[in-house]
Amino acid sequence: MRQRIQRVPSVQAEDAWHRVWRAWLRPAILIFLIWTAVGVFLSLPDMLKGLPWHHFTAKLIDSWAWALLTPALLLIDKKVVPKDQNIFRLSLLFLLLSVPFSLVHTYLAGYLLLFVPQVWWNPLTNGEFAVYYFLGGWQTYCAAVGIFQSFRYYSRYLTGQLELGRVEKSLLEWRLNALRLHLEPHFLFNTLNAISSEVGADPVLARNMIGDLAALLRGSLDCKDRSEIPLAQELTLLEHYISIQRFRFGDRIQIELDIEPEALTAMVPSMLLQPLVENAIRHGLEGRLSGGAIDILARRTAGQLQIRVLDDGVGLPANWRKESSAGLGIRVTGERLAVLYPDLGEQALTIQPRPGGGTEVAICIPLSEKWR
């Protein structure tokens, strides 16, 4: 307890020192160094001409006088500019302030130059140079204010770009969530219809289907805040849906997964495979007494994840077009892929008939193993 009491003043003193350093000392040193650099730059022509040292000192003192006035400039910039964004009123304000600032600088520089008697062009001892100092100070004031405002507007531009990026990201996430919300009720209604058809005939089967549906919905809610999930997690969600379909169709429909182990960590949109499998069952296999088979394949190749959903069902109609004939599941899946991977274009989702009968749905996704 005694040691703790002894350390508190030291910690408080250290915190106070850091606050003073950040609020006052560091900005003051930075202002001094910047104006010193300006003074050295302005004195370079005199140095190259070989003029005496007091010419160099006079330019430094002139810059240091502006260093003393800079806090007042920054205070006005901080208090006034954020409250008034009108460029004409701000220009008029700074123009009016240029006169008192230039006068104060003239007298302040003249006072500091009294410590260097060799400077005979001091505006306080030689009135002929007062106008020269005033005009020179006015030009420096205008340049300093212009630089301050340039940095301020550039900072606003960067802040605006960051805000725009955040808004665009929020809009993208909102659109993806809207697409998911559009898709999930469609799937839910279809599944509930399937369950309701089994309630009277086989209550045990209906209960098992409800259990898988609940597990699927819980898994979907767990990943609702992420636009992408690992393929392994997506396959876990799909397994609950496949269980529901196995309860419904028994041996009539065979669903096989052929997933490359290296592909399991790749990131894919959540609830990507379920609408594709549902579409294959409803439009390819459900109407056939003999049922059929669905194969789901995933491979990593050439920096991309290739997913294929194959069925040996009735295939596509002769005049089928993805743009006009696709159902809700395919359409929403295509829109989600287009939002997440705009560079892939039509390559992201392709649908074509299989040579031996049935349909092939192919999805191309850029390889990524990072959470979005």
Side-chain angles (χ1 to χ4, degrees), residues 19-89:
R19 286 195 296 268
V20 172
W21 167 256
R22 288 194 300 266
W24 300 100
L25 294 181
R26 185 168 61 182
I29 293 174
L30 182 61
I31 291 172
F32 174 78
L33 292 177
I34 290 175
W35 280 109
T36 299
V38 171
V40 172
F41 176 77
L42 294 176
S43 64
L44 279 178
D46 294 342
M47 294 169 59
L48 294 176
K49 292 178 183 178
L51 295 178
W53 64 270
H54 54 269
H55 287 261
F56 171 74
T57 305
K59 293 292 177 63
L60 280 181
I61 290 176
D62 185 78
S63 296
W64 289 339
W66 278 114
L68 295 174
L69 294 176
T70 297
L73 281 173
L74 293 177
L75 181 62
I76 293 173
D77 182 75
K78 180 180 178 180
K79 296 295 184 181
V80 176
V81 175
K83 298 179 181 179
D84 192 346
Q85 303 297 322
N86 187 286
I87 186 66
F88 297 104
R89 286 197 294 266

Side-chain angles (χ1 to χ4, degrees), residues 180 216 219-238 263-273 305 307 336 340-341 365-366 368-372:
R180 276 193 49 179
L216 178 57
S220 176
L221 290 174
D222 288 340
C223 60
K224 67 181 180 65
D225 295 327
R226 301 196 299 269
S227 58
E228 290 183 324
I229 60 176
L231 179 59
Q233 186 176 356
E234 173 67 13
L235 292 174
T236 301
L237 295 176
L238 179 64
L264 292 174
T265 56
M267 306 299 288
V268 300
S270 60
M271 296 294 288
L272 171 70
L273 297 176
L305 175 66
I307 300 177
R336 294 177 70 200
L340 282 171
Y341 319 110
I365 296 176
S368 173
E369 298 181 1
K370 295 181 180 179
W371 297 91
R372 278 183 183 263

